[in-house]
Amino acid sequence: MWLRINNAWIAISIGCLLPLFGLLLDIATDNLGSNPIQAIHIRLGDWSLRFLCLTLAITPIQTMTKWRGMADYRQMLGLYAFFYATLHVLGYLFVDHAGEWGVIGIDIIESSYIWFGVIAYVIVLSLAITSPKSAKKRLGKNWKKLHRLIYYAAGAAVIHYFWQLKGNLFQPLFYLTIVVFLLGFRILVWLKNRQLAKLMLPKGRPISLEEND
Amino acid sequence: RWPEPTDSTDSGGLGPTTPAELVKNYTNYYEFSFNKEDSTELAQRLPTANWTIEIGGEVEKPGHYQLEDILSRQTLREYVYRFRCVEAWSMVVPWVGFPLAELIKWVKPLSGAKFVKFTSVYDPGSMPKQRIDAMLNWPYVEALRIDEAVHPLTILAAGMYGDVLPKQNGAALRLVVPWKYGFKSIKAIVKIELLQRAPMTTWHEFAPSEYGFYANVNPSVPHPRWSQFSERQLGSGFFTPRRQTELYNGYGEQVASLYSDMDLRHFY
């Protein structure tokens, strides 16, 4: 059993790193077109958003398939979203702007699309920091509340994507559809639970529904 | 008939010219694709032989002119200009062309001519995004004030890098206005009209608060969603700082007087 899980862990880890290897290969073979810096930037941002969507997809898939094993990988996928987002940010700061902080400061202040990227990254960063089991224990109930911010991160990331385009919205709309779908699924589950809870209420007694997920 | 290319390391203080391969594979040509790489191949379907340009409006000599006839009357020269896109990237391109002023002079403008309107080719047969009526109002339209149009820096280009203009870069004939964002430099021109009033232009119509009529390169007036303070130069390596964008793309000495009384923040 453990062996099987370990194999899956290794396979999934390698799978998650494939986009990075692909990118490094394209850099090495000069296969990134006329504006390679921008191409790297888009590629890393894309993968960060994809891993964010995959992370959010685990719960719905688990609910639908009743296959519990997948939750184990949710943390790892989330950390890969953080990993690619970090490369994306580092690329912006050091590959594109070569660490020129004055220019970077003006760029961030004047570019509203970057603000959404900053919001998304700050959230993903705080989720990554509080990802270890010890942090989960220490935060108790607040941990779940904090980690629900992942929806805001996904939303901000999608806005960050389409807010910098001149108007070709196909790709960001694709991600938006996925995020809305994933969020919609949870809202449906929440509404269903709420109704079930209501049915189970003893008549005439007030009860708080706050704790329902 | 094409002028010899100048030494590519010396382009009048602009730095080295951008390698032609980069310029040929990085074009915003939304009639074909929203992807800069895809338009390279897709644009090859556009028929550009026997190109005709209609000239009309406030001129004494309106008519349909063969591009060959127009070019045979002009002295083609090489113009090495920095080209700055509104998306905050730039390149240095040796265009081959002639001043638009020469053509305007030749068709004899009437006193009422205050603006020049340019219309791109409408060819849904070869242009996929026109076929599905995507995004912008086709055909693409741009315009200049008459004093901008006859400014000696404003050229019509039929070539680049000492050769005929590649289709993806705007063959058969395109406008190049080096102190304005690239979207003003309309490609594949089929009609030039001199008008009394400013016409509606394509990007301004699509998003009036984001793309103004003037579209002069200006690092201190950001686009509503992104900064215009710096630009990525095509061909520059990793970890190379971005170039700081200059007012009027560095052509201020020649063109600032055109806008001396204007609030550039208002007339963006």
Side-chain angles (χ1 to χ4, degrees), chain A residues 34-35 37-38 94-98 100 103 107 110-113 163-168, chain B residues 22 25-26 30 34 87 135 206 211 224-227 229 232 237-242 244:
Chain A
S34 294
N35 195 345
I37 293 174
Q38 190 196 41
F94 298 105
V95 181
D96 191 5
H97 277 284
E100 289 205 322
V103 180
D107 199 49
E110 291 185 341
S111 305
S112 52
Y113 82 92
W163 207 239
Q164 42 123 8
L165 294 173
K166 277 201 304 201
N168 169 27
Chain B
L22 304 188
N25 290 295
Y26 199 71
Y30 281 19
F34 300 144
E87 297 167 351
M135 195 173 161
F206 178 74
Y211 310 101
R225 294 181 281 126
W226 61 79
S227 172
F229 185 75
R232 167 57 51 198
F238 299 149
F239 312 107
T240 312
R242 292 161 72 98
Q244 292 201 4

mmCIF file of all heavy atoms in Angstrom, chain A residues 34-35 37-38 94-98 100 103 107 110-113 163-168, chain B residues 22 25-26 30 34 87 135 206 211 224-227 229 232 237-242 244:
data_model
loop_
_atom_site.group_PDB
_atom_site.id
_atom_site.type_symbol
_atom_site.label_atom_id
_atom_site.label_comp_id
_atom_site.label_asym_id
_atom_site.label_seq_id
_atom_site.Cartn_x
_atom_site.Cartn_y
_atom_site.Cartn_z
ATOM 1 N N SER A 34 10.177 35.633 -30.652
ATOM 2 C CA SER A 34 10.857 36.925 -30.734
ATOM 3 C C SER A 34 10.985 37.616 -29.382
ATOM 4 O O SER A 34 11.847 38.458 -29.192
ATOM 5 C CB SER A 34 10.099 37.855 -31.683
ATOM 6 O OG SER A 34 10.146 37.355 -32.999
ATOM 7 N N ASN A 35 10.089 37.289 -28.462
ATOM 8 C CA ASN A 35 10.112 37.937 -27.146
ATOM 9 C C ASN A 35 10.157 36.860 -26.066
ATOM 10 O O ASN A 35 9.170 36.605 -25.380
ATOM 11 C CB ASN A 35 8.869 38.831 -26.996
ATOM 12 C CG ASN A 35 8.995 39.795 -25.832
ATOM 13 O OD1 ASN A 35 9.856 39.629 -24.965
ATOM 14 N ND2 ASN A 35 8.127 40.801 -25.803
ATOM 15 N N ILE A 37 11.445 36.571 -23.152
ATOM 16 C CA ILE A 37 11.196 36.923 -21.755
ATOM 17 C C ILE A 37 9.699 36.922 -21.479
ATOM 18 O O ILE A 37 9.223 36.364 -20.490
ATOM 19 C CB ILE A 37 11.837 38.284 -21.423
ATOM 20 C CG1 ILE A 37 13.362 38.143 -21.484
ATOM 21 C CG2 ILE A 37 11.384 38.793 -20.070
ATOM 22 C CD1 ILE A 37 14.127 39.435 -21.321
ATOM 23 N N GLN A 38 8.947 37.524 -22.402
ATOM 24 C CA GLN A 38 7.498 37.534 -22.236
ATOM 25 C C GLN A 38 6.933 36.107 -22.325
ATOM 26 O O GLN A 38 6.014 35.744 -21.588
ATOM 27 C CB GLN A 38 6.871 38.414 -23.312
ATOM 28 C CG GLN A 38 5.399 38.666 -23.077
ATOM 29 C CD GLN A 38 4.722 39.202 -24.319
ATOM 30 O OE1 GLN A 38 4.973 38.770 -25.430
ATOM 31 N NE2 GLN A 38 3.869 40.187 -24.124
ATOM 32 N N PHE A 94 13.549 39.785 -11.856
ATOM 33 C CA PHE A 94 14.979 39.684 -12.162
ATOM 34 C C PHE A 94 15.297 39.393 -13.633
ATOM 35 O O PHE A 94 16.326 39.842 -14.129
ATOM 36 C CB PHE A 94 15.632 38.638 -11.260
ATOM 37 C CG PHE A 94 15.535 39.017 -9.807
ATOM 38 C CD1 PHE A 94 14.640 38.384 -8.964
ATOM 39 C CD2 PHE A 94 16.307 40.058 -9.303
ATOM 40 C CE1 PHE A 94 14.523 38.758 -7.635
ATOM 41 C CE2 PHE A 94 16.201 40.448 -7.972
ATOM 42 C CZ PHE A 94 15.311 39.797 -7.135
ATOM 43 N N VAL A 95 14.444 38.634 -14.320
ATOM 44 C CA VAL A 95 14.735 38.356 -15.722
ATOM 45 C C VAL A 95 14.269 39.530 -16.589
ATOM 46 O O VAL A 95 14.995 40.018 -17.446
ATOM 47 C CB VAL A 95 14.060 37.043 -16.185
ATOM 48 C CG1 VAL A 95 14.397 36.764 -17.649
ATOM 49 C CG2 VAL A 95 14.526 35.880 -15.318
ATOM 50 N N ASP A 96 13.047 40.001 -16.351
ATOM 51 C CA ASP A 96 12.508 41.092 -17.160
ATOM 52 C C ASP A 96 13.043 42.450 -16.696
ATOM 53 O O ASP A 96 13.542 43.240 -17.485
ATOM 54 C CB ASP A 96 10.976 41.065 -17.110
ATOM 55 C CG ASP A 96 10.351 42.004 -18.136
ATOM 56 O OD1 ASP A 96 11.094 42.594 -18.944
ATOM 57 O OD2 ASP A 96 9.117 42.153 -18.139
ATOM 58 N N HIS A 97 12.936 42.718 -15.387
ATOM 59 C CA HIS A 97 13.319 44.047 -14.895
ATOM 60 C C HIS A 97 14.742 44.108 -14.351
ATOM 61 O O HIS A 97 15.185 45.180 -13.930
ATOM 62 C CB HIS A 97 12.328 44.505 -13.821
ATOM 63 C CG HIS A 97 11.091 45.120 -14.408
ATOM 64 N ND1 HIS A 97 11.072 46.384 -14.929
ATOM 65 C CD2 HIS A 97 9.842 44.634 -14.578
ATOM 66 C CE1 HIS A 97 9.870 46.666 -15.391
ATOM 67 N NE2 HIS A 97 9.103 45.609 -15.191
ATOM 68 N N ALA A 98 15.447 42.984 -14.371
ATOM 69 C CA ALA A 98 16.845 42.936 -13.939
ATOM 70 C C ALA A 98 17.048 43.601 -12.576
ATOM 71 O O ALA A 98 18.072 44.226 -12.321
ATOM 72 C CB ALA A 98 17.754 43.566 -14.998
ATOM 73 N N GLU A 100 15.796 46.241 -11.255
ATOM 74 C CA GLU A 100 15.812 47.717 -11.171
ATOM 75 C C GLU A 100 14.593 48.191 -10.391
ATOM 76 O O GLU A 100 13.504 48.381 -10.948
ATOM 77 C CB GLU A 100 15.818 48.307 -12.587
ATOM 78 C CG GLU A 100 17.121 48.088 -13.296
ATOM 79 C CD GLU A 100 17.366 49.127 -14.384
ATOM 80 O OE1 GLU A 100 16.402 49.507 -15.064
ATOM 81 O OE2 GLU A 100 18.524 49.543 -14.542
ATOM 82 N N VAL A 103 12.267 51.285 -11.422
ATOM 83 C CA VAL A 103 11.386 51.022 -12.566
ATOM 84 C C VAL A 103 10.287 50.036 -12.169
ATOM 85 O O VAL A 103 9.119 50.190 -12.539
ATOM 86 C CB VAL A 103 12.205 50.473 -13.762
ATOM 87 C CG1 VAL A 103 11.304 50.196 -14.959
ATOM 88 C CG2 VAL A 103 13.308 51.454 -14.158
ATOM 89 N N ASP A 107 6.306 50.615 -12.342
ATOM 90 C CA ASP A 107 5.522 49.656 -13.120
ATOM 91 C C ASP A 107 4.357 49.099 -12.298
ATOM 92 O O ASP A 107 3.230 49.014 -12.787
ATOM 93 C CB ASP A 107 6.440 48.512 -13.594
ATOM 94 C CG ASP A 107 5.837 47.743 -14.751
ATOM 95 O OD1 ASP A 107 5.395 48.398 -15.710
ATOM 96 O OD2 ASP A 107 5.793 46.508 -14.692
ATOM 97 N N GLU A 110 1.677 51.870 -11.523
ATOM 98 C CA GLU A 110 0.889 52.324 -12.678
ATOM 99 C C GLU A 110 0.120 51.212 -13.389
ATOM 100 O O GLU A 110 -0.651 51.488 -14.300
ATOM 101 C CB GLU A 110 1.813 53.007 -13.697
ATOM 102 C CG GLU A 110 2.354 54.333 -13.204
ATOM 103 C CD GLU A 110 3.165 55.068 -14.263
ATOM 104 O OE1 GLU A 110 3.618 54.424 -15.240
ATOM 105 O OE2 GLU A 110 3.349 56.278 -14.108
ATOM 106 N N SER A 111 0.349 49.972 -13.015
ATOM 107 C CA SER A 111 -0.281 48.865 -13.740
ATOM 108 C C SER A 111 -1.302 48.149 -12.854
ATOM 109 O O SER A 111 -0.927 47.322 -12.021
ATOM 110 C CB SER A 111 0.783 47.864 -14.208
ATOM 111 O OG SER A 111 1.768 48.511 -14.964
ATOM 112 N N SER A 112 -2.570 48.457 -13.067
ATOM 113 C CA SER A 112 -3.589 47.862 -12.204
ATOM 114 C C SER A 112 -3.664 46.345 -12.376
ATOM 115 O O SER A 112 -4.038 45.637 -11.447
ATOM 116 C CB SER A 112 -4.949 48.497 -12.460
ATOM 117 O OG SER A 112 -5.266 48.467 -13.832
ATOM 118 N N TYR A 113 -3.281 45.830 -13.544
ATOM 119 C CA TYR A 113 -3.354 44.372 -13.708
ATOM 120 C C TYR A 113 -2.366 43.675 -12.776
ATOM 121 O O TYR A 113 -2.600 42.554 -12.331
ATOM 122 C CB TYR A 113 -3.136 43.962 -15.173
ATOM 123 C CG TYR A 113 -1.698 43.878 -15.624
ATOM 124 C CD1 TYR A 113 -0.993 42.681 -15.542
ATOM 125 C CD2 TYR A 113 -1.044 44.991 -16.126
ATOM 126 C CE1 TYR A 113 0.321 42.601 -15.954
ATOM 127 C CE2 TYR A 113 0.269 44.916 -16.532
ATOM 128 C CZ TYR A 113 0.952 43.723 -16.446
ATOM 129 O OH TYR A 113 2.255 43.637 -16.848
ATOM 130 N N TRP A 163 -6.738 41.313 -17.556
ATOM 131 C CA TRP A 163 -6.645 42.759 -17.397
ATOM 132 C C TRP A 163 -5.435 43.341 -18.127
ATOM 133 O O TRP A 163 -5.295 44.539 -18.286
ATOM 134 C CB TRP A 163 -6.583 43.087 -15.898
ATOM 135 C CG TRP A 163 -7.096 44.441 -15.531
ATOM 136 C CD1 TRP A 163 -6.408 45.434 -14.901
ATOM 137 C CD2 TRP A 163 -8.410 44.955 -15.735
ATOM 138 N NE1 TRP A 163 -7.205 46.528 -14.716
ATOM 139 C CE2 TRP A 163 -8.446 46.264 -15.221
ATOM 140 C CE3 TRP A 163 -9.579 44.437 -16.327
ATOM 141 C CZ2 TRP A 163 -9.595 47.067 -15.267
ATOM 142 C CZ3 TRP A 163 -10.717 45.227 -16.372
ATOM 143 C CH2 TRP A 163 -10.708 46.509 -15.845
ATOM 144 N N GLN A 164 -4.506 42.510 -18.570
ATOM 145 C CA GLN A 164 -3.327 43.031 -19.246
ATOM 146 C C GLN A 164 -3.415 42.829 -20.746
ATOM 147 O O GLN A 164 -2.517 43.210 -21.478
ATOM 148 C CB GLN A 164 -2.076 42.338 -18.709
ATOM 149 C CG GLN A 164 -2.252 40.861 -18.502
ATOM 150 C CD GLN A 164 -1.283 40.011 -19.252
ATOM 151 O OE1 GLN A 164 -0.347 40.501 -19.844
ATOM 152 N NE2 GLN A 164 -1.544 38.723 -19.241
ATOM 153 N N LEU A 165 -4.517 42.214 -21.226
ATOM 154 C CA LEU A 165 -4.632 41.960 -22.655
ATOM 155 C C LEU A 165 -5.342 43.121 -23.337
ATOM 156 O O LEU A 165 -6.135 43.818 -22.726
ATOM 157 C CB LEU A 165 -5.422 40.668 -22.896
ATOM 158 C CG LEU A 165 -4.738 39.387 -22.413
ATOM 159 C CD1 LEU A 165 -5.694 38.220 -22.549
ATOM 160 C CD2 LEU A 165 -3.469 39.126 -23.206
ATOM 161 N N LYS A 166 -5.055 43.272 -24.628
ATOM 162 C CA LYS A 166 -5.722 44.344 -25.365
ATOM 163 C C LYS A 166 -7.177 43.979 -25.655
ATOM 164 O O LYS A 166 -7.991 44.821 -25.912
ATOM 165 C CB LYS A 166 -4.977 44.636 -26.666
ATOM 166 C CG LYS A 166 -3.801 45.575 -26.422
ATOM 167 C CD LYS A 166 -3.348 46.276 -27.681
ATOM 168 C CE LYS A 166 -3.002 45.316 -28.785
ATOM 169 N NZ LYS A 166 -2.118 45.923 -29.788
ATOM 170 N N GLY A 167 -7.505 42.721 -25.632
ATOM 171 C CA GLY A 167 -8.894 42.379 -25.902
ATOM 172 C C GLY A 167 -9.145 40.932 -26.296
ATOM 173 O O GLY A 167 -10.269 40.477 -26.315
ATOM 174 N N ASN A 168 -8.092 40.176 -26.571
ATOM 175 C CA ASN A 168 -8.297 38.781 -26.919
ATOM 176 C C ASN A 168 -8.518 37.981 -25.639
ATOM 177 O O ASN A 168 -7.585 37.646 -24.925
ATOM 178 C CB ASN A 168 -7.081 38.246 -27.668
ATOM 179 C CG ASN A 168 -7.145 36.752 -27.815
ATOM 180 O OD1 ASN A 168 -8.230 36.180 -27.829
ATOM 181 N ND2 ASN A 168 -5.995 36.125 -27.910
ATOM 182 N N LEU B 22 13.228 38.385 -35.946
ATOM 183 C CA LEU B 22 12.367 38.698 -34.811
ATOM 184 C C LEU B 22 11.209 39.578 -35.261
ATOM 185 O O LEU B 22 10.066 39.395 -34.845
ATOM 186 C CB LEU B 22 13.169 39.408 -33.710
ATOM 187 C CG LEU B 22 14.406 38.697 -33.157
ATOM 188 C CD1 LEU B 22 14.944 39.449 -31.950
ATOM 189 C CD2 LEU B 22 14.083 37.264 -32.778
ATOM 190 N N ASN B 25 8.473 37.719 -37.130
ATOM 191 C CA ASN B 25 7.722 36.688 -36.401
ATOM 192 C C ASN B 25 7.064 37.208 -35.131
ATOM 193 O O ASN B 25 6.826 36.457 -34.189
ATOM 194 C CB ASN B 25 8.644 35.513 -36.066
ATOM 195 C CG ASN B 25 9.025 34.738 -37.300
ATOM 196 O OD1 ASN B 25 8.178 34.132 -37.938
ATOM 197 N ND2 ASN B 25 10.295 34.790 -37.657
ATOM 198 N N TYR B 26 6.778 38.489 -35.118
ATOM 199 C CA TYR B 26 6.189 39.069 -33.908
ATOM 200 C C TYR B 26 5.325 40.252 -34.313
ATOM 201 O O TYR B 26 5.675 41.409 -34.126
ATOM 202 C CB TYR B 26 7.314 39.522 -32.977
ATOM 203 C CG TYR B 26 6.907 39.712 -31.532
ATOM 204 C CD1 TYR B 26 6.599 38.626 -30.720
ATOM 205 C CD2 TYR B 26 6.854 40.984 -30.965
ATOM 206 C CE1 TYR B 26 6.256 38.798 -29.405
ATOM 207 C CE2 TYR B 26 6.513 41.169 -29.635
ATOM 208 C CZ TYR B 26 6.221 40.061 -28.858
ATOM 209 O OH TYR B 26 5.888 40.231 -27.539
ATOM 210 N N TYR B 30 -4.324 41.554 -36.223
ATOM 211 C CA TYR B 30 -5.535 40.920 -35.693
ATOM 212 C C TYR B 30 -6.486 40.435 -36.770
ATOM 213 O O TYR B 30 -7.377 39.642 -36.480
ATOM 214 C CB TYR B 30 -6.250 41.895 -34.746
ATOM 215 C CG TYR B 30 -5.619 41.970 -33.370
ATOM 216 C CD1 TYR B 30 -4.320 41.535 -33.142
ATOM 217 C CD2 TYR B 30 -6.340 42.464 -32.284
ATOM 218 C CE1 TYR B 30 -3.757 41.602 -31.892
ATOM 219 C CE2 TYR B 30 -5.777 42.534 -31.018
ATOM 220 C CZ TYR B 30 -4.489 42.106 -30.829
ATOM 221 O OH TYR B 30 -3.935 42.172 -29.571
ATOM 222 N N PHE B 34 -4.902 36.638 -33.227
ATOM 223 C CA PHE B 34 -4.577 37.444 -32.057
ATOM 224 C C PHE B 34 -3.217 37.036 -31.489
ATOM 225 O O PHE B 34 -2.767 37.572 -30.493
ATOM 226 C CB PHE B 34 -5.658 37.298 -30.983
ATOM 227 C CG PHE B 34 -7.020 37.733 -31.464
ATOM 228 C CD1 PHE B 34 -8.164 37.078 -31.042
ATOM 229 C CD2 PHE B 34 -7.146 38.801 -32.333
ATOM 230 C CE1 PHE B 34 -9.416 37.480 -31.493
ATOM 231 C CE2 PHE B 34 -8.385 39.204 -32.791
ATOM 232 C CZ PHE B 34 -9.526 38.539 -32.379
ATOM 233 N N GLU B 87 1.846 47.830 -26.150
ATOM 234 C CA GLU B 87 2.013 46.725 -25.206
ATOM 235 C C GLU B 87 3.362 46.767 -24.491
ATOM 236 O O GLU B 87 3.732 45.799 -23.817
ATOM 237 C CB GLU B 87 1.907 45.380 -25.945
ATOM 238 C CG GLU B 87 0.554 45.138 -26.577
ATOM 239 C CD GLU B 87 0.563 43.958 -27.563
ATOM 240 O OE1 GLU B 87 1.656 43.434 -27.876
ATOM 241 O OE2 GLU B 87 -0.511 43.591 -28.021
ATOM 242 N N MET B 135 -13.916 40.734 -32.696
ATOM 243 C CA MET B 135 -13.327 41.789 -31.878
ATOM 244 C C MET B 135 -13.461 43.205 -32.424
ATOM 245 O O MET B 135 -14.241 43.986 -31.907
ATOM 246 C CB MET B 135 -11.846 41.470 -31.638
ATOM 247 C CG MET B 135 -11.268 42.297 -30.540
ATOM 248 S SD MET B 135 -9.616 41.714 -30.180
ATOM 249 C CE MET B 135 -9.002 43.119 -29.333
ATOM 250 N N PHE B 206 -12.995 50.815 -30.267
ATOM 251 C CA PHE B 206 -13.083 49.588 -29.462
ATOM 252 C C PHE B 206 -12.994 49.893 -27.965
ATOM 253 O O PHE B 206 -13.737 49.336 -27.162
ATOM 254 C CB PHE B 206 -11.958 48.631 -29.873
ATOM 255 C CG PHE B 206 -11.923 47.362 -29.071
ATOM 256 C CD1 PHE B 206 -12.876 46.376 -29.283
ATOM 257 C CD2 PHE B 206 -10.945 47.153 -28.110
ATOM 258 C CE1 PHE B 206 -12.850 45.207 -28.544
ATOM 259 C CE2 PHE B 206 -10.920 45.988 -27.371
ATOM 260 C CZ PHE B 206 -11.869 45.010 -27.585
ATOM 261 N N TYR B 211 -7.366 53.805 -25.800
ATOM 262 C CA TYR B 211 -6.596 54.108 -27.007
ATOM 263 C C TYR B 211 -7.110 55.405 -27.608
ATOM 264 O O TYR B 211 -8.202 55.446 -28.179
ATOM 265 C CB TYR B 211 -6.690 52.949 -28.010
ATOM 266 C CG TYR B 211 -6.372 51.630 -27.350
ATOM 267 C CD1 TYR B 211 -7.386 50.761 -26.972
ATOM 268 C CD2 TYR B 211 -5.054 51.300 -27.042
ATOM 269 C CE1 TYR B 211 -7.100 49.577 -26.317
ATOM 270 C CE2 TYR B 211 -4.763 50.117 -26.384
ATOM 271 C CZ TYR B 211 -5.787 49.259 -26.026
ATOM 272 O OH TYR B 211 -5.493 48.096 -25.368
ATOM 273 N N PRO B 224 -4.635 52.853 -19.049
ATOM 274 C CA PRO B 224 -5.413 52.673 -17.821
ATOM 275 C C PRO B 224 -5.103 51.378 -17.052
ATOM 276 O O PRO B 224 -5.337 51.293 -15.857
ATOM 277 C CB PRO B 224 -6.864 52.646 -18.322
ATOM 278 C CG PRO B 224 -6.837 53.378 -19.610
ATOM 279 C CD PRO B 224 -5.484 53.158 -20.209
ATOM 280 N N ARG B 225 -4.556 50.375 -17.734
ATOM 281 C CA ARG B 225 -4.311 49.102 -17.054
ATOM 282 C C ARG B 225 -2.845 48.731 -16.914
ATOM 283 O O ARG B 225 -2.522 47.788 -16.231
ATOM 284 C CB ARG B 225 -5.081 47.982 -17.763
ATOM 285 C CG ARG B 225 -6.586 48.146 -17.658
ATOM 286 C CD ARG B 225 -7.360 47.046 -18.327
ATOM 287 N NE ARG B 225 -7.438 47.209 -19.770
ATOM 288 C CZ ARG B 225 -7.072 46.281 -20.643
ATOM 289 N NH1 ARG B 225 -6.602 45.138 -20.226
ATOM 290 N NH2 ARG B 225 -7.178 46.491 -21.938
ATOM 291 N N TRP B 226 -1.960 49.462 -17.611
ATOM 292 C CA TRP B 226 -0.537 49.148 -17.445
ATOM 293 C C TRP B 226 0.322 50.385 -17.666
ATOM 294 O O TRP B 226 -0.071 51.354 -18.306
ATOM 295 C CB TRP B 226 -0.103 48.000 -18.345
ATOM 296 C CG TRP B 226 -0.256 48.226 -19.812
ATOM 297 C CD1 TRP B 226 0.564 48.951 -20.623
ATOM 298 C CD2 TRP B 226 -1.305 47.715 -20.660
ATOM 299 N NE1 TRP B 226 0.101 48.915 -21.920
ATOM 300 C CE2 TRP B 226 -1.041 48.167 -21.969
ATOM 301 C CE3 TRP B 226 -2.429 46.911 -20.436
ATOM 302 C CZ2 TRP B 226 -1.861 47.851 -23.051
ATOM 303 C CZ3 TRP B 226 -3.235 46.603 -21.512
ATOM 304 C CH2 TRP B 226 -2.948 47.067 -22.798
ATOM 305 N N SER B 227 1.523 50.297 -17.131
ATOM 306 C CA SER B 227 2.478 51.394 -17.205
ATOM 307 C C SER B 227 3.089 51.502 -18.601
ATOM 308 O O SER B 227 3.248 50.500 -19.296
ATOM 309 C CB SER B 227 3.574 51.148 -16.178
ATOM 310 O OG SER B 227 4.612 52.078 -16.341
ATOM 311 N N PHE B 229 5.998 53.308 -18.741
ATOM 312 C CA PHE B 229 7.253 53.916 -18.327
ATOM 313 C C PHE B 229 8.476 53.235 -18.943
ATOM 314 O O PHE B 229 9.477 53.873 -19.225
ATOM 315 C CB PHE B 229 7.352 53.867 -16.790
ATOM 316 C CG PHE B 229 8.556 54.581 -16.252
ATOM 317 C CD1 PHE B 229 8.605 55.963 -16.213
ATOM 318 C CD2 PHE B 229 9.658 53.869 -15.793
ATOM 319 C CE1 PHE B 229 9.713 56.624 -15.719
ATOM 320 C CE2 PHE B 229 10.777 54.522 -15.302
ATOM 321 C CZ PHE B 229 10.799 55.907 -15.270
ATOM 322 N N ARG B 232 10.267 46.598 -23.222
ATOM 323 C CA ARG B 232 11.174 45.480 -23.489
ATOM 324 C C ARG B 232 11.622 45.578 -24.937
ATOM 325 O O ARG B 232 10.803 45.599 -25.840
ATOM 326 C CB ARG B 232 10.427 44.157 -23.219
ATOM 327 C CG ARG B 232 11.090 42.899 -23.717
ATOM 328 C CD ARG B 232 12.490 42.659 -23.207
ATOM 329 N NE ARG B 232 12.626 42.750 -21.755
ATOM 330 C CZ ARG B 232 13.782 42.913 -21.133
ATOM 331 N NH1 ARG B 232 14.905 43.011 -21.828
ATOM 332 N NH2 ARG B 232 13.825 43.008 -19.826
ATOM 333 N N GLY B 237 18.770 40.423 -24.183
ATOM 334 C CA GLY B 237 18.897 39.144 -23.490
ATOM 335 C C GLY B 237 18.219 39.112 -22.133
ATOM 336 O O GLY B 237 17.696 40.121 -21.648
ATOM 337 N N PHE B 238 18.236 37.916 -21.533
ATOM 338 C CA PHE B 238 17.712 37.762 -20.182
ATOM 339 C C PHE B 238 18.513 38.622 -19.213
ATOM 340 O O PHE B 238 19.688 38.885 -19.442
ATOM 341 C CB PHE B 238 17.807 36.302 -19.724
ATOM 342 C CG PHE B 238 17.020 35.361 -20.597
ATOM 343 C CD1 PHE B 238 17.443 34.053 -20.781
ATOM 344 C CD2 PHE B 238 15.862 35.764 -21.235
ATOM 345 C CE1 PHE B 238 16.731 33.169 -21.577
ATOM 346 C CE2 PHE B 238 15.136 34.898 -22.029
ATOM 347 C CZ PHE B 238 15.575 33.599 -22.201
ATOM 348 N N PHE B 239 17.861 39.029 -18.144
ATOM 349 C CA PHE B 239 18.491 39.822 -17.079
ATOM 350 C C PHE B 239 18.992 41.184 -17.584
ATOM 351 O O PHE B 239 19.817 41.811 -16.952
ATOM 352 C CB PHE B 239 19.645 39.054 -16.410
ATOM 353 C CG PHE B 239 19.272 37.652 -16.027
ATOM 354 C CD1 PHE B 239 19.760 36.567 -16.732
ATOM 355 C CD2 PHE B 239 18.405 37.429 -14.958
ATOM 356 C CE1 PHE B 239 19.389 35.268 -16.385
ATOM 357 C CE2 PHE B 239 18.038 36.137 -14.607
ATOM 358 C CZ PHE B 239 18.531 35.050 -15.317
ATOM 359 N N THR B 240 18.520 41.590 -18.766
ATOM 360 C CA THR B 240 18.851 42.922 -19.284
ATOM 361 C C THR B 240 17.730 43.866 -18.864
ATOM 362 O O THR B 240 16.564 43.554 -19.079
ATOM 363 C CB THR B 240 18.906 42.904 -20.828
ATOM 364 O OG1 THR B 240 19.695 41.802 -21.226
ATOM 365 C CG2 THR B 240 19.473 44.192 -21.365
ATOM 366 N N PRO B 241 18.076 45.023 -18.281
ATOM 367 C CA PRO B 241 16.999 45.922 -17.870
ATOM 368 C C PRO B 241 16.154 46.351 -19.064
ATOM 369 O O PRO B 241 16.634 46.373 -20.201
ATOM 370 C CB PRO B 241 17.749 47.128 -17.284
ATOM 371 C CG PRO B 241 19.128 46.676 -17.021
ATOM 372 C CD PRO B 241 19.405 45.553 -17.968
ATOM 373 N N ARG B 242 14.903 46.713 -18.770
ATOM 374 C CA ARG B 242 14.054 47.264 -19.821
ATOM 375 C C ARG B 242 14.548 48.666 -20.174
ATOM 376 O O ARG B 242 15.223 49.307 -19.386
ATOM 377 C CB ARG B 242 12.611 47.334 -19.320
ATOM 378 C CG ARG B 242 11.996 45.965 -19.134
ATOM 379 C CD ARG B 242 10.796 46.041 -18.240
ATOM 380 N NE ARG B 242 9.670 46.669 -18.910
ATOM 381 C CZ ARG B 242 8.668 46.003 -19.490
ATOM 382 N NH1 ARG B 242 8.654 44.691 -19.454
ATOM 383 N NH2 ARG B 242 7.686 46.625 -20.077
ATOM 384 N N GLN B 244 14.011 52.577 -20.763
ATOM 385 C CA GLN B 244 13.056 53.586 -20.297
ATOM 386 C C GLN B 244 12.484 54.309 -21.511
ATOM 387 O O GLN B 244 13.216 54.843 -22.346
ATOM 388 C CB GLN B 244 13.733 54.560 -19.331
ATOM 389 C CG GLN B 244 14.108 53.839 -18.039
ATOM 390 C CD GLN B 244 14.300 54.777 -16.866
ATOM 391 O OE1 GLN B 244 14.083 55.971 -16.962
ATOM 392 N NE2 GLN B 244 14.718 54.216 -15.748
#
